[in-house]
Amino acid sequence: MPRDIVLGNGELLVNLDRHLYIRDIYYPYVGWPNHVAGHRCRVGVWTEGGAFAWLEDDGWGWKIGYETDTLVTDCTAHHAGLGIRLRVAQAVLHDENILVQRFRVENTRDEAREVRLFFAHDLRIDESDIGDTAFYDPYANAMVHYKRDRYFLFGGQIGEDRVGIAQYACGEKGFRGGEGTWRDAEDGRLSGSAIAQGAVDSVAGYGVIVPGRGEAVLRAWMTVGETRGEVVALQSALLGRGFEEALAETAAQDGTYAFRRPDLDSLPPRVAALFTHSLLVIKTQCDKRGAILASND
């Protein structure tokens, strides 16, 4: 199936659907292997009082797109029933195998409320869910999935100081009729199961108090590498560099790549913008070793 959002740097390619669910993760080659294989890495929102919705549920109004001349997303999701608006920016860093995701959580009601975001990770590493391991890493305060020499670390940060997962759960999926650990998030509280092996999935949760008519910021990331040490080091490097700085540098790099040619001024602005955006999308389909994909999905 075609994807609504493509993000990549020539080695790590991440595709998302119209609900901003990760549906494909390609590493270390653009196009192979696919470590999600089209399944859903869901995102859910719980609000004080017990209301919960996955981003695929009815009730959300969406705007999906990119910032001008970049591969940084500019997306909005509003749920009147929850009284929540999400403004989301996502990118694969141009110089590191890191997916960054910034969620601005806006409270559209007058009273301050606790809001929790849940990220479900449903991987099939090396295109198979046989022999995968998911575990909560207390030293990195992050969720790690791995098999052999493929490691994926999922971490996050509330505001400027609170680094790390607030809740977590690991478990089996597709076993004896079970749908998966992602269902554990729907009451707003995770079990705390710290490790699972086989056909597994996991969920990480973050909570924040959002002022009435105010907002709070959650920054989340996925680092990808060949060892635990590598993915933990990438997380440390991101935090040392600064999340916002890394995101801005990637946007600037995109803008340099997709510079506007002088002759585009003769075209309608919409057509000129489509030309430069098309260059960036084509770039995501090019492996840094020279291969150009006809279609990665």
Side-chain angles (χ1 to χ4, degrees):
M1 295 292 291
R3 306 301 182 205
D4 294 77
I5 297 291
V6 292
L7 307 169
N9 64 7
E11 187 169 70
L12 173 63
L13 173 65
V14 179
N15 296 332
L16 300 97
D17 65 17
R18 64 188 181 91
H19 303 117
L20 303 187
Y21 288 176
I22 295 172
R23 301 295 292 270
D24 308 286
I25 299 172
Y26 293 99
Y27 169 85
Y29 300 100
V30 173
W32 180 82
N34 186 346
H35 303 289
V36 180
H39 294 268
R40 293 177 175 86
C41 293
R42 294 172 168 85
V43 180
V45 180
W46 177 95
T47 60
E48 191 169 332
F52 181 92
W54 296 106
L55 295 191
E56 66 189 289
D57 292 346
D58 293 337
W60 292 100
W62 285 95
K63 180 182 80 68
I64 298 293
Y66 296 85
E67 294 180 10
T68 302
D69 292 345
T70 77
L71 287 171
V72 177
T73 67
D74 180 12
C75 303
T76 304
H78 177 232
H79 196 296
L82 293 179
I84 294 294
R85 179 181 293 108
L86 302 176
R87 290 188 291 133
V88 187
Q90 301 155 301
V92 168
L93 298 188
H94 71 99
D95 57 351
E96 298 282 7
N97 290 325
I98 305 176
L99 169 71
V100 294
Q101 304 182 88
R102 182 183 64 209
F103 287 77
R104 295 192 183 276
V105 184
E106 299 180 0
N107 181 3
T108 62
R109 296 180 181 171
D110 294 328
E111 68 277 7
R113 293 183 294 156
E114 182 183 6
V115 178
R116 301 173 188 169
L117 267 66
F118 293 92
F119 295 82
H121 317 117
D122 186 4
L123 274 59
R124 287 153 175 79
I125 300 174
D126 281 341
E127 302 187 345
S128 169
D129 59 5
I130 298 173
D132 288 359
T133 298
F135 73 98
Y136 171 69
D137 187 330
Y139 301 101
N141 203 355
M143 187 64 64
V144 176
H145 285 236
Y146 77 93
K147 179 161 60 185
R148 293 187 294 272
D149 59 349
R150 298 287 179 259
Y151 281 74
F152 302 82
L153 179 148
F154 300 91
Q157 175 183 19
I158 292 290
E160 304 302 325
D161 303 317
R162 291 168 52 193
V163 178
I165 294 172
Q167 300 185 55
Y168 57 86
C170 303
E172 297 175 334
K173 65 191 178 190
F175 182 69
R176 294 179 179 174
E179 294 180 85
T181 310
W182 57 276
R183 285 292 190 188
D184 189 23
E186 294 178 342
D187 63 356
R189 186 177 299 277
L190 298 175
S191 67
S193 174
I195 189 169
Q197 296 172 311
V200 300
D201 66 341
S202 70
V203 187
Y206 305 85
V208 65
I209 302 298
V210 187
R213 303 295 172 179
E215 71 171 36
V217 179
L218 165 65
R219 298 173 177 90
W221 52 82
M222 175 187 70
T223 68
V224 183
E226 296 184 352
T227 67
R228 176 191 172 276
E230 182 179 355
V231 294
V232 172
L234 284 170
Q235 173 176 259
S236 298
L238 175 65
L239 294 172
R241 177 182 182 181
F243 183 103
E244 295 298 331
E245 289 77 4
L247 186 60
E249 288 171 11
T250 292
Q253 181 73 14
D254 290 342
T256 299
Y257 183 85
F259 69 94
R260 289 188 175 276
R261 295 167 32 165
D263 55 353
L264 292 182
D265 293 340
S266 63
L267 296 174
R270 185 177 65 85
V271 177
L274 179 61
F275 177 85
T276 54
H277 180 63
S278 297
L279 288 179
L280 290 167
V281 170
I282 291 170
K283 181 186 176 185
T284 68
Q285 310 303 296
C286 301
D287 189 88
K288 70 178 185 179
R289 304 160 187 85
I292 301 174
L293 274 293
S295 173
N296 61 73
D297 52 15

